[in-house]
Amino acid sequence: MITKEISKAKEVLINNQLVAIPTETVYGLAGNAYSEMAIKKIFELKKRPYFNPLIVHIKSISSLFEIATDIPETAYMLAEKFWPGPLTLVLKKRSHISDLITAGKETVAVRVPNHPLTLALLNEIDFPLTAPSANPFGSISPTSAQHVFNYFEKELDVILDGGECEKGLESTIIGFENNKPILYRHGSIAAEEIEQVIGSKIGMKTVDDQAPNAPGMLTRHYAPMTDTYLTDNITEFIKDFEGKKIGLLLFKDAVTDHTIIRQEILSSSGDLHEAAKNLYAAMHRLDQDKLDVIIAEKFPNEGLGKTINDKLERATKKE
Ligand code: AMP
Ligand code: MG
């Protein structure tokens, strides 16, 4: 059921079952972070491999000490600046945090999501939620309750409807090595914004999102079912697909070609934030068009453009 009633979500969570929750990034598939049963269900429902750790969602910075320990000063600085918001911190875990959540690591990923409905829910329950994105492993992340419904209509009793996700891209993940912040995943907060807070360039270790311990494996993710390509010269590239049903995923300018079936323009004014917000919904629509091929264009490699390119590269990776 799609509902706005948090009491329904609360009831399901207390019974160790899962609910979909809205956040500002993408919809999450949430369960009680202190219930092994609920955590296992998340992995099973998503068909997510157990080596891929989950993020713990807490209601405010004051709950952080329940989850993590030995927290670097810079982590507090970043949390103060960006929480509630699309920043995930990877910190030393407290011993009671399940090894299932952390995939056996000594670190745990944690954030305070910025969505009124989910924050209200977190304030109603006396446990944190653990929630990866509410999509089957590898497929396009959901940015509306309807997207989640399309994936998990039968399996989920409650999909909490908080409207369209405001940011539309996953959180930026920052870890710490020798107390120095390292960017683990490009996300909704541009690396440049993080650097402004820490006052220096950030080191990057954007290892494989899906197999943090196994670089190079399973990088395909955020992927449509339709054959999808990424190019920096769209007008030239489409010439190779003459006679095919083509859909395009474009930044700001349409392509003049009457044979194109659908063109998704993510921001006609060239605003990267608007493009980020529209990205996954456009991918979902293109994927439902029964096209032969989706061709995406590369974004300018700056600010959120880096994150969008990262997602598009994974979406178009050929196995
Ligand atoms: P999702 O919630 O689907 O965006 O996935 C959560 C992501 O968080 C995973 O893909 C991991 O890359 C990352 N993550 C979670 N825990 C850790 C950790 N302890 N160390 C590094 N990355 C992590
Ligand atoms: Mg995901």
Side-chain angles (χ1 to χ4, degrees), residues 42-260:
I42 292 175
F43 283 96
E44 279 164 20
L45 185 52
K46 277 194 66 130
K47 299 201 167 52
R48 181 176 177 114
Y50 279 96
F51 58 67
N52 193 195
L54 306 178
I55 296 175
V56 175
H57 290 66
I58 55 176
K59 61 178 180 238
S60 73
I61 194 168
S62 60
S63 306
L64 183 56
F65 77 98
E66 293 167 32
I67 311 295
T69 179
D70 299 353
I71 302 165
E73 200 47 48
T74 318
Y76 274 116
M77 256 168 66
L78 289 166
E80 291 281 359
K81 167 79 184 168
F82 292 110
W83 284 356
L87 170 77
T88 296
L89 295 173
V90 174
L91 300 166
K92 184 155 191 262
K93 80 175 190 103
R94 285 211 177 260
S95 57
H96 67 273
I97 301 295
S98 165
D99 285 337
L100 286 174
I101 289 182
T102 68
K105 290 162 171 290
E106 282 309 304
T107 51
V108 61
V110 57
R111 83 177 188 103
V112 181
N114 190 13
H115 192 289
L117 217 52
T118 292
L119 284 172
L121 173 64
L122 283 164
N123 276 292
E124 283 275 319
I125 52 183
D126 55 5
F127 47 84
L129 293 173
T130 188
S133 53
N135 51 279
F137 180 69
S139 49
I140 311 167
S141 303
T143 54
S144 70
Q146 187 63 44
H147 291 157
V148 183
F149 185 83
N150 294 347
Y151 283 136
F152 295 125
E153 177 189 355
K154 292 197 187 68
E155 295 88 348
L156 282 181
D157 288 340
V158 171
I159 298 170
L160 205 50
D161 186 359
E164 268 177 44
C165 299
E166 199 191 312
K167 301 287 181 191
L169 286 177
E170 281 75 3
S171 59
T172 301
I173 304 184
I174 307 279
F176 295 85
E177 292 176 18
N178 302 320
N179 281 330
K180 272 189 114 71
I182 309 276
L183 188 106
Y184 286 160
R185 176 174 78 182
H186 286 289
S188 200
I189 299 173
E192 292 89 334
E193 288 178 73
I194 305 280
E195 288 169 344
Q196 267 180 14
V197 176
I198 61 176
S200 62
K201 279 257 162 213
I202 188 159
M204 305 221 179
K205 224 188 222 180
T206 47
V207 287
D208 196 304
D209 194 30
Q210 294 311 298
N213 285 327
M217 277 174 64
L218 282 167
T219 41
R220 186 173 157 84
H221 197 44
Y222 317 106
M225 306 295 277
T226 314
D227 198 17
T228 304
Y229 295 88
L230 181 62
T231 174
D232 41 25
N233 189 343
I234 203 111
T235 40
E236 274 303 307
F237 198 83
I238 50 179
K239 289 182 185 157
D240 291 347
F241 295 89
E242 222 186 285
K244 300 258 193 230
K245 284 193 240 155
I246 305 174
L248 300 181
L249 188 61
L250 304 165
F251 179 24
K252 53 183 165 48
D253 300 314
V255 169
T256 338
D257 184 331
H258 66 278
T259 64
I260 304 293

Side-chain angles (χ1 to χ4, degrees), residues 15-46:
N15 288 320
N16 299 313
Q17 305 294 318
L18 309 182
V19 300
I21 53 164
T23 82
E24 80 284 29
T25 60
V26 302
Y27 273 71
L29 182 63
N32 178 349
Y34 293 153
S35 159
E36 293 285 295
M37 194 173 139
I39 302 165
K40 275 193 191 135
K41 281 199 181 127
I42 292 175
F43 283 96
E44 279 164 20
L45 185 52
K46 277 194 66 130

Side-chain angles (χ1 to χ4, degrees), residues 220-224 228 283 310-317:
R220 186 173 157 84
H221 197 44
Y222 317 106
T228 304
M283 283 167 72
D310 180 73
K311 307 297 173 197
L312 289 175
E313 271 155 27
R314 289 169 197 274
T316 53
K317 174 135 170 100

